[in-house]
Amino acid sequence: MRKLIISRVLQAVPTLWVIATLTFFMTRYAPGGPFDSERAIPEEIKIKLQSHFGLDRPLFDQYLLYLKNLLQGDLGPSFKYPEWEVSELIATAFPVSLTLGLLSLLIALMVGIPAGMIAALRKNSWVDYLPMSLSMAGICLPTFVLGPLLIYALSTQLGMFPPLGWYGPADWVLPSLTLGLFYAAYIARLTRAGMLETLQQDYVRTARAKGAKSWRILTKHAARGGLLPVVTFLGPAFAGLITGSFVIESIFFIPGLGKFFVTAAFNRDYTMVLGTVLFYASLIILLNLLVDLLQAWLDPKARQEK
Amino acid sequence: MGQLTIRNLEVSFHTREGIIRAVDGIDLAIGPGEIVGLVGESGSGKSVTCNSVLQLLPCPPAQFGEGKIEWSSKDLLQLDEDKMRRIRGKEISMIFQDPMSCLNPFMTVLDQVAEPLIIHKICKPAEAKRKALEMLAKVGVHRVKEYPNSYPHEFSGGMRQRAMIAMALITQPALLLADEPTTALDVTVQAKVLSILRELCSELGVSVLFVSHDLGLVAELADRVVVMYRGKVVEQNDTASIFTHPKHPYVKALIACRPTLETSDDRLPTVEDFINPGKETEKSPADTSPPKTSSKSAKTLVEAKRLVVEFTTDEGSVRAVNDVSIKIPQGSTHGLVGESGSGKTSLGRSLLNLIRRQSGEILFNGIPVGHKGHPHEKQFRKSMQIIFQDPYASLNPRLTIEQALVEPMIVHNLGSSKRERIKRVIDLLEEVGLGEEHLARYPHEFSGGQRQRICVARALTTEPEFIVCDECVSAMDVSVQAQVLNLLKSLQASRGLTYLFISHDLGVVKFMSDQISVMQKGQIVESGSAENIYNDPQTKYTQQLINSIPAANRSKNFSFTHPSVSPGP
């Protein structure tokens, strides 16, 4: 177990370096720059700005300087919000996205897993067809449709929750529901498929031959194997959830991390792009490690192999 | 003590292709303490019968007809799920065929063995675990005592099956249903598991329904034998009478078509011979008469010198083949026997240069066979072919038979035109007893025996001199096995083929081979003529292998001296 963690952390270093390098050069070679805008700024100011941020130095020198700062944990200043450091921007926005992501994940799991299990247990009955059709609809329905629908129903009509903003727990409900139900749809389908597969296994028949009740068969014998595909999906899904969603943030006016991914790229905010990409990559690496640990905990065979 | 009576049981499966009557009105009774063997080939309905008793068949597609399954004055077919559940694992237990897949990989073995006691609230969990440990010790699974947290994958197949037996008998049920419990095991392991089962059941006074495809194996422990064929019981009698005076032609065939260590004919009788006597059924060239060229005068076709094959795993390297030398004369069959993991398959594949050898030399017709990428590699490939164990897995499901058989000819540039190649394919198909009408079909449209014939035909497409038959009849019913073995023999006679015949079944190897080598732990421990190996085994291991074969499979005229299980009180 410890060996796995150490080797993963060591593997992460070259991975992050490759990502940083690729992102650095790709953004630099993309047309335009951080100080190009529709209203052209005077040439001498632009030159001054560029020299202030070190953009006038040779590209490779800039790259080495960036790596050097990165090693010291310095992501540099934002080009677009000059009074902010990139790390400060991430630090303010991330807690918002983390709250939203965790709540959504909770909803997704609490809705998706039971729905998938029931559907698998009562295959080809209405408790299978109904949640599965709903989940198909959930997958097909983009969040920018589901969001406004929920706002209309629960906020405008019933007045239960505020339609937008991010001030208190009441504001958390609608966005987490929108995002959570979308993921719940995926999880329900994965759970159903995984459980169906497991319920056909010979060892489940053995459990029946022992006289186990359906509930015991489900929880003691089938759940572990059946949920393995869900666990695999959770890693990347969770990373996506807690780094924020541009669409959800735009609909509900939430000051989360998601918008930086989009605006930074548009603005050619080089340091911000690099900062968000590296932050996201580190999260993915970390969460995949967690998923592997979780899998090892669920599956004794995987435990031994690792 | 319970009495199980099955009256006129009918089970059918409703599928999209139509209704399949798997069990067609059978009657069967098992008295207290009695051991009844239920014998039949795949698809005969024996497993369905067994699973019906505990109501383990998924319904639908399964449907039950008029019949009854009576157990202590209840009809099991009429019980609701909750009442049925109370009987499962408590009054009637079951063990299954494949110990690899039938134990839960996510639960410790100890927990699984203790579980029936907890489910049926016979005792508290702590007490249940203590009893499970006792039971596991009784069946010889001692590892659990040392490592209570071990999971099934840490055990060998034989140990897992012992654990299954412990699990089934821990509640002291009145009846045990054993569905092919030793089929997936090696002979020596099978013999051990069987003796444990026999002793434990007689000690606890459990009656047993022992389901198997192997009549000889059933004779080892059953008081009475019931033979099923196509969903019907064709004969039932006490074990000795079944063997000495079989009445139904199918039962006669079952006894005759399995090669024992005494079989010395060139051709095995098949089920068809008994059921449709007088009819010429073998389409293959029947002439098996030309006397074989004496192996002494023939030149050596394949020779291996000090062959070593190693596999590296996480735990280090394993020597699958450890310093093996072997000589196979042209036109003869060299049998290779051993248990799983003994290295027989690795030896066969390394002779064909399909896996890398660490050291050693292989000579084919006196020419050294190089490593992969050797200039003569293609020539060797053409002259050496292989037939695999599982004809279901070794044919590409997306290629028609024509495509599968033409491909080797294209690879080796045989035949000048497409037409010529197809003509040769048709000739080959006819040679193995199939025909032109099968060309456009896909593998799933054939039975297991037919598929293996296709694999034989495919191996013949390149006109090879040497064929490795790697457990090529192991997955088959005895009647189909007899057909394929006859085919291989007649092809050898007509084409002068040389075989390396790999099998774990000593009887089959003996029937096929001129020379036999016994492998154990990567080495050949004994080698000699087929007769000598059997009549005068030199090593303890070979003796053990021979003694592990059920007596009825060793010889047709065996005597029933095995410790018969006395009926319970």
Side-chain angles (χ1 to χ4, degrees):
Chain A
M1 203 60 75
R2 183 179 296 164
K3 227 168 103 187
L4 171 75
I5 298 174
I6 292 171
S7 82
R8 282 306 184 76
V9 171
L10 289 179
Q11 277 170 25
V13 175
T15 311
L16 287 176
W17 172 69
V18 169
I19 291 172
T21 309
L22 280 176
T23 318
F24 183 89
F25 287 104
M26 274 161 68
T27 48
R28 291 309 164 98
Y29 282 112
F35 310 115
D36 296 328
S37 56
E38 274 156 40
R39 210 157 45 105
I41 44 173
E43 197 58 24
E44 57 265 38
I45 295 181
K46 196 173 170 183
I47 290 171
K48 244 190 171 156
L49 272 171
Q50 281 182 334
S51 83
H52 172 73
F53 286 108
L55 292 178
D56 51 348
R57 297 161 71 175
L59 193 56
F60 198 69
D61 284 0
Q62 292 181 37
Y63 168 67
L64 288 181
L65 186 67
Y66 182 80
L67 283 189
K68 198 181 138 215
N69 290 337
L70 189 63
L71 282 178
Q72 290 159 355
D74 181 7
L75 292 170
S78 166
F79 288 1
K80 211 65 196 181
Y81 310 95
E83 61 273 36
W84 291 85
E85 291 279 313
V86 169
S87 44
E88 284 173 344
L89 283 171
I90 293 178
T92 15
F94 182 58
V96 176
S97 292
L98 185 67
T99 313
L100 176 59
L102 281 174
L103 285 171
S104 313
L105 188 76
L106 205 64
I107 291 170
L109 291 177
M110 289 203 322
V111 176
I113 289 182
M117 282 197 168
I118 293 168
L121 269 186
R122 300 266 177 273
K123 195 181 139 197
N124 296 336
S125 73
W126 68 271
V127 276
D128 179 14
Y129 294 140
L130 183 71
M132 282 310 115
S133 324
L134 279 178
S135 85
M136 201 58 196
I139 291 170
C140 298
L141 210 61
T143 43
F144 60 79
V145 177
L146 185 62
L149 278 177
L150 286 176
I151 293 179
Y152 178 75
L154 298 181
S155 180
T156 317
Q157 291 298 315
L158 298 172
M160 291 162 76
F161 307 105
L164 47 85
W166 193 262
Y167 302 104
D171 297 319
W172 299 354
V173 177
L174 285 184
S176 348
L177 215 55
T178 311
L179 207 51
L181 286 179
F182 183 72
Y183 278 89
Y186 268 107
I187 289 176
R189 299 189 83 81
L190 278 175
T191 307
R192 177 179 181 269
M195 291 304 290
L196 277 183
E197 166 95 25
T198 313
L199 286 172
Q200 278 175 6
Q201 295 294 317
D202 287 344
Y203 61 80
V204 171
R205 185 185 54 183
T206 309
R208 284 188 66 210
K210 285 181 193 176
K213 287 183 188 165
S214 326
W215 178 248
R216 187 183 181 93
I217 290 173
L218 190 71
T219 53
K220 280 246 164 188
H221 290 273
R224 278 194 170 193
L227 289 182
L228 277 177
V230 178
V231 172
T232 316
F233 167 75
L234 276 186
F238 190 43
L241 275 170
I242 60 176
T243 45
S245 151
F246 182 66
V247 178
I248 295 283
E249 286 169 13
S250 312
I251 297 172
F252 294 100
F253 286 83
I254 298 166
L257 201 53
K259 74 163 186 262
F260 290 125
F261 281 89
V262 182
T263 52
F266 272 128
N267 293 334
R268 303 284 183 276
D269 191 344
Y270 295 147
T271 43
M272 194 64 204
V273 170
L274 273 162
T276 46
V277 165
L278 286 175
F279 182 68
Y280 183 67
S282 317
L283 270 180
I284 291 262
I285 291 171
L286 182 72
L287 287 168
N288 275 333
L289 174 64
L290 283 180
V291 163
D292 282 346
L293 292 177
L294 195 59
Q295 265 176 341
W297 177 70
L298 282 171
D299 184 358
K301 214 165 171 182
R303 210 178 300 168
Q304 196 187 41
E305 275 157 19
K306 273 156 191 167
Chain B
M1 283 289 154
Q3 155 91 28
L4 183 83
T5 315
I6 296 176
R7 284 185 216 277
N8 192 26
L9 178 69
E10 281 176 18
V11 190
S12 48
F13 289 91
H14 292 241
T15 66
R16 259 176 224 168
E17 281 84 43
I19 299 169
I20 299 158
R21 308 199 83 166
V23 177
D24 197 358
I26 67 157
D27 296 289
L28 187 85
I30 304 166
E34 198 182 20
I35 297 187
V36 175
L38 184 59
V39 182
E41 304 198 336
S42 46
S44 62
K46 56 189 194 309
S47 277
V48 174
T49 306
C50 197
N51 280 296
S52 300
V53 175
L54 277 188
Q55 294 289 297
L56 289 176
L57 295 171
C59 312
Q63 265 188 13
F64 292 92
E66 295 278 291
K68 282 183 179 171
I69 300 179
E70 286 168 11
W71 173 255
S72 35
S73 70
K74 280 171 284 200
D75 181 4
L76 295 183
L77 292 178
Q78 305 301 328
L79 289 187
D80 63 32
E81 175 64 21
D82 193 54
K83 286 202 179 107
M84 193 63 227
R85 191 184 67 70
R86 284 165 211 272
I87 291 175
R88 286 187 198 130
K90 191 180 181 190
E91 294 174 31
I92 306 176
S93 286
M94 188 157 177
I95 45 181
F96 301 93
Q97 172 170 357
D98 188 357
M100 299 291 160
S101 62
C102 287
L103 287 173
N104 189 338
F106 304 112
M107 251 172 115
T108 65
V109 170
L110 184 60
D111 282 344
Q112 292 187 61
V113 174
E115 200 183 11
L117 292 174
I118 299 167
I119 288 174
H120 295 290
K121 304 202 170 65
I122 294 170
C123 51
K124 294 246 161 61
E127 171 79 1
K129 280 199 181 184
R130 201 183 52 74
K131 281 193 175 168
L133 269 180
E134 267 172 34
M135 200 66 190
L136 281 166
K138 232 176 186 170
V139 295
V141 184
H142 298 291
R143 193 192 147 85
V144 177
K145 197 162 186 183
E146 257 177 90
Y147 306 96
N149 284 325
S150 11
Y151 287 88
H153 69 266
E154 296 166 50
F155 292 85
S156 68
M159 285 297 158
R160 289 189 216 190
Q161 200 60 306
R162 290 176 192 219
M164 278 287 274
I165 293 174
M167 191 165 82
L169 294 180
I170 197 163
T171 52
Q172 309 214 342
L175 173 65
L176 176 70
L177 308 169
D179 188 2
E180 303 259 14
T182 60
T183 308
L185 306 174
D186 279 326
V187 268
T188 54
V189 182
Q190 165 175 294
K192 272 182 213 137
V193 169
L194 219 54
S195 79
I196 288 170
L197 190 62
R198 186 163 55 206
E199 276 162 30
L200 217 55
C201 286
S202 100
E203 186 189 321
L204 300 172
V206 182
S207 47
V208 182
L209 179 67
F210 189 91
V211 177
S212 177
H213 67 284
D214 186 342
L215 195 54
L217 183 71
V218 166
E220 288 281 283
L221 81 171
D223 307 316
R224 205 151 52 77
V225 177
V226 179
V227 181
M228 277 185 83
Y229 181 59
R230 297 193 179 165
K232 287 193 157 86
V233 170
V234 290
E235 189 165 346
Q236 52 179 317
N237 211 334
D238 64 275
T239 310
S241 309
I242 281 263
F243 275 91
T244 46
H245 306 291
K247 291 189 192 77
H248 193 275
Y250 175 72
V251 184
K252 288 181 188 166
L254 263 194
I255 295 172
C257 65
R258 184 193 182 95
T260 66
L261 291 179
E262 281 175 354
T263 309
S264 55
D265 304 333
D266 253 357
R267 185 177 170 279
L268 289 168
T270 63
V271 172
E272 285 291 306
D273 295 341
F274 286 85
I275 291 185
N276 301 315
K279 222 166 126 190
E280 190 54 56
T281 48
E282 287 280 286
K283 264 212 219 158
S284 52
D287 246 29
T288 51
S289 41
K292 234 175 257 167
T293 42
S294 154
S295 49
K296 269 178 197 161
S297 63
K299 63 169 180 131
T300 303
L301 182 70
V302 183
E303 185 176 3
K305 290 178 183 166
R306 317 208 60 170
L307 206 59
V308 175
V309 176
E310 274 182 3
F311 293 111
T312 37
T313 62
D314 290 343
E315 280 98 53
S317 66
V318 180
R319 285 214 162 179
V321 178
N322 191 1
D323 196 12
V324 166
S325 300
I326 193 171
K327 264 188 191 177
I328 308 176
Q330 186 145 32
S332 73
T333 301
H334 194 105
L336 202 55
V337 215
E339 298 186 277
S340 47
S342 61
K344 2 183 241 308
T345 293
S346 300
L347 175 57
R349 294 194 182 177
S350 70
L351 282 183
L352 298 183
N353 220 0
L354 286 174
I355 50 174
R356 238 190 125 73
R357 55 181 186 270
Q358 242 58 43
S359 62
E361 201 181 0
I362 298 167
L363 298 172
F364 187 78
N365 258 332
I367 308 165
V369 178
H371 281 292
K372 206 171 152 31
H374 193 267
H376 295 299
E377 199 198 346
K378 210 164 170 184
Q379 186 55 38
F380 288 122
R381 286 262 173 275
K382 183 176 162 298
S383 320
M384 307 162 145
Q385 290 292 322
I386 185 165
I387 303 166
F388 296 98
Q389 170 170 2
D390 185 356
Y392 290 84
S394 57
L395 284 171
N396 186 335
R398 284 176 190 82
L399 291 186
T400 63
I401 302 313
E402 181 189 319
Q403 288 168 323
L405 264 64
V406 166
E407 193 181 27
M409 296 192 208
I410 297 173
V411 171
H412 290 287
N413 256 327
L414 300 169
S416 49
S417 63
K418 195 181 170 196
R419 217 197 203 153
E420 197 186 319
R421 285 177 184 147
I422 290 177
K423 176 154 185 333
R424 287 181 60 172
V425 166
I426 294 171
D427 288 345
L428 282 171
L429 282 178
E430 279 166 2
E431 206 171 340
V432 300
L434 297 165
E436 194 178 347
E437 68 273 19
H438 298 116
L439 277 180
R441 295 197 196 162
Y442 287 92
H444 71 265
E445 297 172 65
F446 295 92
S447 69
Q450 285 176 318
R451 283 184 219 210
Q452 200 60 301
R453 284 160 186 270
I454 293 165
C455 291
V456 172
R458 179 176 61 180
L460 293 174
T461 49
T462 61
E463 304 283 332
E465 294 177 73
F466 177 55
I467 297 180
V468 172
C469 308
D470 190 357
E471 298 269 12
C472 68
V473 292
S474 307
M476 292 177 181
D477 284 322
V478 272
S479 59
V480 185
Q481 168 178 302
Q483 291 169 13
V484 174
L485 292 180
N486 286 338
L487 172 69
L488 287 172
K489 274 214 156 185
S490 71
L491 287 172
Q492 180 169 45
S494 60
R495 290 172 167 254
L497 292 170
T498 308
Y499 293 135
L500 178 72
F501 193 89
I502 302 173
S503 178
H504 65 281
D505 187 328
L506 220 49
V508 171
V509 170
K510 161 97 188 346
F511 171 72
M512 288 298 292
S513 311
D514 304 297
Q515 295 278 313
I516 290 180
S517 293
V518 182
M519 269 192 100
Q520 185 192 18
K521 292 178 185 161
Q523 286 181 311
I524 290 182
V525 292
E526 189 166 354
S527 203
S529 78
E531 288 299 324
N532 283 347
I533 291 268
Y534 158 54
N535 290 323
D536 185 22
Q538 296 298 308
T539 59
K540 219 178 154 191
Y541 181 67
T542 312
Q543 282 167 10
Q544 199 186 337
L545 275 184
I546 293 174
N547 291 334
S548 302
I549 304 175
N553 292 343
R554 248 177 274 160
S555 150
K556 293 269 140 75
N557 311 309
F558 71 105
S559 54
F560 285 89
T561 49
H562 69 80
S564 182
V565 179
S566 54

